[in-house]
């Protein structure tokens, strides 16, 4: 979605915000969950709903930290469901009507990304809308170890992405246009931060081996 698309959606939801109230928890959390669980993210990125929820928290319609908790929990649970769907259905999902609508190009991109980054793809894919919806299912199809590899990267990505989107909406709530522009660059910033963390972890591991 372009910045203009985000702005239009944010403006629309702003008008409804005062009436929705606590339903923001359900709507935003549900979209964050469904993004990977049922591939809703290919149509409507969950980040938009979470940013709007951050705006709603700033307006006092909902509480900030409960919304952050809902965002993180929903994102992690949705990816876990997506993983299980991929693990159980495997190639049938890819060749299904839904899989064909996804498009072979997107599946191939997800394949290549997973092959290149391994477990880290679960975290890094979180910050790209198309990959965010497909990566958990692809990890399940590849039979990535759930507890040892998928779950830690899944939770880490959910914390950074879920909390980050809500706090972004909260911080920039004074200007919906600023939020829309920020959404264009925020994923790149989050990827850079995630890459920096991975580099630091590798350096520490190498130092331990040397000792």
């Amino acid at each position: 979605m372009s910045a203009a698309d985000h702005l239009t959606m944010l403006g629309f939801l702003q008008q409804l915000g005062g009436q929705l109230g606590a339903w923001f928890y359900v709507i935003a959390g549900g979209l964050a969950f469904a993004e990977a669980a049922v591939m809703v993210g290919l149509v409507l990125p969950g980040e938009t709903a979470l940013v709007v929820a951050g705006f709603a928290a700033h307006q006092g319609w909902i509480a900030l930290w409960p919304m952050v908790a809902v965002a993180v929990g929903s994102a992690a649970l949705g990816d876990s469901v997506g993983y299980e769907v991929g693990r159980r259905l495997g190639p049938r999902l890819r060749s299904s009507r839904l899989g064909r609508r996804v498009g072979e190009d997107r599946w191939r991109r997800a394949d290549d990304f997973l092959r290149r980054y391994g477990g880290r793809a679960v975290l890094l894919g979180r910050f790209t809308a198309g990959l965010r919806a497909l990566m958990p299912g692809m990890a399940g199809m590849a039979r990535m170890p759930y507890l040892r590899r998928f779950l830690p990267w899944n939770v880490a990505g959910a914390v950074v992405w879920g909390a980050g989107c809500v706090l972004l909406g909260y911080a920039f709530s004074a200007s919906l246009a600023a939020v829309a522009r920020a959404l264009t660059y925020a994923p790149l910033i989050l990827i850079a931060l995630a890459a920096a963390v991975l580099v630091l972890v590798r350096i520490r591991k190498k130092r331990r081996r040397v000792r």
Side-chain angles (χ1 to χ4, degrees):
M1 296 179 71
S2 66
D5 293 331
H6 281 296
L7 183 57
T8 300
M9 184 171 295
L10 287 168
F12 173 71
L13 290 180
Q14 182 189 16
Q15 296 175 4
L16 297 178
Q19 300 174 353
L20 288 176
W23 278 101
F24 261 111
Y25 294 116
V26 178
I27 296 171
L31 287 173
F33 167 83
E35 182 152 26
V38 292
M39 299 183 187
V40 166
L42 295 171
V43 179
L44 178 64
E47 65 185 10
T48 303
L50 294 183
V51 169
V52 174
F55 174 83
H58 187 274
Q59 297 299 107
W61 300 331
I62 56 175
L64 175 62
W65 295 113
M67 186 62 244
V68 169
V70 168
V72 172
S74 297
L77 183 59
D79 276 21
S80 291
V81 171
Y83 171 94
E84 189 63 21
V85 169
R87 189 183 72 83
R88 289 179 178 274
L89 298 182
R92 284 183 294 170
L93 174 63
R94 192 162 176 168
S95 60
S96 67
R97 184 176 180 181
L98 175 60
R100 290 194 298 273
R101 293 191 65 179
V102 169
E104 190 57 36
D105 182 60
R106 282 176 172 166
W107 286 113
R108 191 180 303 109
R109 282 180 57 208
D111 269 331
D112 294 342
F113 199 78
L114 185 61
R115 194 161 35 244
R116 181 177 182 183
Y117 293 105
R120 293 170 294 168
V122 178
L123 170 63
L124 298 176
R126 169 74 68 177
F127 306 108
T128 305
L131 291 177
R132 183 163 59 244
L134 297 178
M135 195 53 59
M138 295 300 300
M141 291 180 198
R143 294 296 195 272
M144 181 183 292
Y146 180 79
L147 291 176
R148 182 165 52 88
R149 186 172 301 174
F150 178 84
L151 186 59
W153 290 112
N154 173 28
V155 171
V159 170
V160 177
W161 177 79
C165 287
V166 174
L167 293 175
L168 182 68
Y170 187 89
F172 287 92
S173 58
S175 173
L176 290 177
V179 174
R181 287 195 299 271
L183 278 172
T184 304
Y185 302 105
L188 299 178
I189 296 172
L190 292 174
I191 288 174
L193 291 173
V197 171
L198 291 173
V199 170
L200 291 174
V201 170
R202 281 191 171 185
I203 292 174
R204 290 188 64 182
K205 286 183 177 180
K206 287 182 178 180
R207 286 180 178 177
R208 288 176 181 175
R209 289 173 184 171
V210 171
R211 292 177 185 174

